[in-house]
Every structure is written in C-alpha cells, then in structure tokens.
Amino acid sequence: MRARPSVLAAGRRHSVAARRDGTVLAVRGSAAGECRVQGWERVVEVAAGNVHTARNTGRSHTVGLRSDGTVLAAGWNGDGQCEVAGWRGVTAVAAGWRRTLGLLGNGRVLAVGRNAEGQCDVESWREVVVLSCGDWHSVGVRADGSAVAVGNDRRRQCDVGGWRDLVGIAAGYCHTVGLTADGRAVATGERTTGACEVDEWEDVVALDAGSYHTVGVTASGRVLATGDNSHGQCDVDDWRDVVAVAAGSTHTLGLRADGTVVAAGNHADGQCAVEAWSDIRLP
C-alpha cells in the first residue's frame, strides 16, 4: 500500500499547496513566517502545522518534502519542529502543533518538536505507510492495515488498536478518523462536536480531520463533511470533481481534478484566498 501524497494542507491560519512544477503556494501574512515558501523547489508533498483555535494559538509552521527525499521547513520553530534539514530518504511528512514527523522508506518514522504528551514517541513504529498529526497525538497506518497512535489520549483519540484494513488516517484536535479499503470511515475520540459521525459514509477515497470537523472525498468527486460548522467549514455540498481535501482548524480546502482549489470556512486571516491557485499537483 502506498499513501496518497499530501499536496494540499491547511493550518490554523494559513493554507499551502504543492504545484506540478515543484514550487509551493501559501496564503496569509504571518509573523511566524509559515508562508515563506517562495524559494522552495522540487516539492512533491506539503504539510501544515495545525492547532485548535484559541487565544493562545496561532503561530504555525509549514513542511515540504522534496523529490529527492529531503525536507524543508519554514515558520515557528519554538520547539525545534523545523529542524529537519538533516533528514534524508523521507517518503512522506506530517505536521502538528509544534512538531513534524517524517516517514522513511523502510517504514520507520522520524520526529522533532514538542513531546510533552508523548506525541513524538514513534521510535518503535515499524512498517508504517501513512502518517498524520493531531494537536497532541500522532497516528499512523502500518502496511498490514492496522493503526498505531501515541500522545494525549484524554478523549480516547488514540484508541485505534482494533482498527483493521486501513488505507488512510487523519488526526484532529481530540479525534481520529480512519479510512478502510472498502471506502468506509471509522472514528474515535471526542463525540460532542459531531466530528466522529462518519458511520454512514460510503465510497470514500480520501479524508482529513480539522480541529472539530471531518471531511471526506468520494470516488465521484463529491465532498462529505461533519462536525462543527460555526465558520461554514462544512459548507461543501456543492463542490464537484474534487480529488483531495485538507481540513484546518476552522476552514476546509478542496483540490479539483483540473488543479484548482476551492475553500470554505474562516477567512479572517486570508487563509481561504485560493481562488487564483492553479496547476496544483494531483495526488
């Protein structure tokens, strides 16, 4: 099983995308510098550090995976989450609040950044093929379709030990969702927000978790969404021909088959200003 590359990413206040020519686009101005990606080249995958919206959150970072397996990072580095310059042989990246994960070709996982809740304790992971970061927990899918998780488990967001036959996984603030090979979704963690109400989803080919909402793409290019919609981040019913989605704290991005991007949700910091984007790399 090979993970779909993450060509679109949404953070707390910014959005990022990898273009077919290897350059990267990012929107919103930031003192943390997470959108300073203008000089990046040969990038095939991107990740954005995300954290739930609160008075004491906002600074973030952006990660890019080059075609040669090296990694770039820009933005907030308060916990060393951008110290990835020495990484080699990386095949996928994931970014959470104050940390970065990198997947090696042999199925091992690298981690830098905050580890106060154990979210970087991934040294024992083996045969991993998919990675995702929530606020305070990290999750992965093994080659046999089982799941692993470390970090904060106060809402049982790490209770994935019984999951099987997975092809995808995504972590939010206090919830985790998984995608099975038959196109169904499973979820664990905080239930009060509605972000775990995915039991009826069918024919799903990709999904992502925001802080309090979950989005998925069906084989027909339609987009599903559940959970908090206080900023309109779940208003995706009219989206068509979508091939990938990214969920931020309070906004959602969708990549169309023609390489353009649509957005819904909180635009207070300009994170939804993606209407001019084009030629985005298709997963």
Side-chain angles (χ1 to χ4, degrees):
M1 178 177 64
R2 181 179 174 83
R4 290 163 55 101
S6 176
V7 296
L8 198 64
R12 161 77 163 83
R13 292 175 173 170
H14 76 297
S15 301
V16 188
R19 304 188 74 198
R20 285 195 297 175
D21 65 0
T23 60
V24 177
L25 298 173
V27 289
R28 97 164 276 269
S30 170
E34 61 262 44
C35 289
R36 294 175 185 165
V37 298
Q38 293 84 355
W40 289 11
E41 298 178 342
R42 296 180 289 120
V43 173
V44 296
E45 184 170 331
V46 292
N50 189 28
V51 62
H52 67 284
T53 300
R55 289 182 180 272
N56 64 338
T57 67
R59 289 181 295 173
S60 186
H61 71 296
T62 300
V63 181
L65 172 63
R66 286 195 187 110
S67 56
D68 64 358
T70 60
V71 181
L72 301 163
W76 186 33
N77 193 35
D79 289 86
Q81 59 265 42
C82 290
E83 296 175 4
V84 297
W87 287 6
R88 298 291 185 273
V90 176
T91 61
V93 289
W97 188 51
R98 303 187 182 192
R99 76 187 180 285
T100 302
L101 301 183
L103 177 63
L104 297 174
N106 63 4
R108 303 285 294 272
V109 179
L110 304 172
V112 291
R114 177 186 170 100
N115 195 35
E117 294 79 25
Q119 59 269 59
C120 287
D121 291 340
V122 296
E123 298 89 351
S124 64
W125 288 9
R126 299 291 186 274
E127 299 182 351
V128 175
V129 293
V130 183
L131 288 176
S132 182
C133 293
D135 276 30
W136 300 320
H137 71 296
S138 303
V139 294
V141 176
R142 296 191 187 102
D144 64 1
S146 62
V148 288
V150 292
N152 187 296
D153 193 32
R154 64 176 180 154
R155 294 291 187 270
R156 299 188 68 183
Q157 60 264 47
C158 292
D159 188 16
V160 300
W163 289 1
R164 296 292 182 270
D165 203 27
L166 296 181
V167 294
I169 201 165
Y173 173 31
C174 288
H175 77 290
T176 303
V177 290
L179 175 63
T180 63
D182 63 357
R184 305 300 294 265
V186 291
T188 186
E190 177 62 64
R191 295 274 170 179
T192 60
T193 64
C196 289
E197 296 178 2
V198 298
D199 296 343
E200 302 301 318
W201 287 11
E202 297 179 346
D203 206 24
V204 178
V205 295
L207 48 69
D208 199 18
S211 290
Y212 303 103
H213 73 295
T214 301
V215 291
V217 182
T218 68
S220 65
R222 302 287 295 272
V223 179
L224 307 170
T226 185
D228 177 59
N229 194 35
S230 57
H231 293 273
Q233 60 265 48
C234 291
D235 292 342
V236 297
D237 291 345
D238 60 344
W239 290 5
R240 298 292 184 274
D241 298 322
V242 173
V243 296
V245 286
S249 179
T250 53
H251 75 292
T252 302
L253 304 176
L255 173 62
R256 294 195 188 103
D258 64 0
T260 60
V261 179
V262 288
N266 190 353
H267 187 48
D269 294 283
Q271 60 265 55
C272 289
V274 298
E275 60 278 355
W277 287 6
S278 63
D279 204 30
I280 305 303
R281 180 183 296 272
L282 299 180

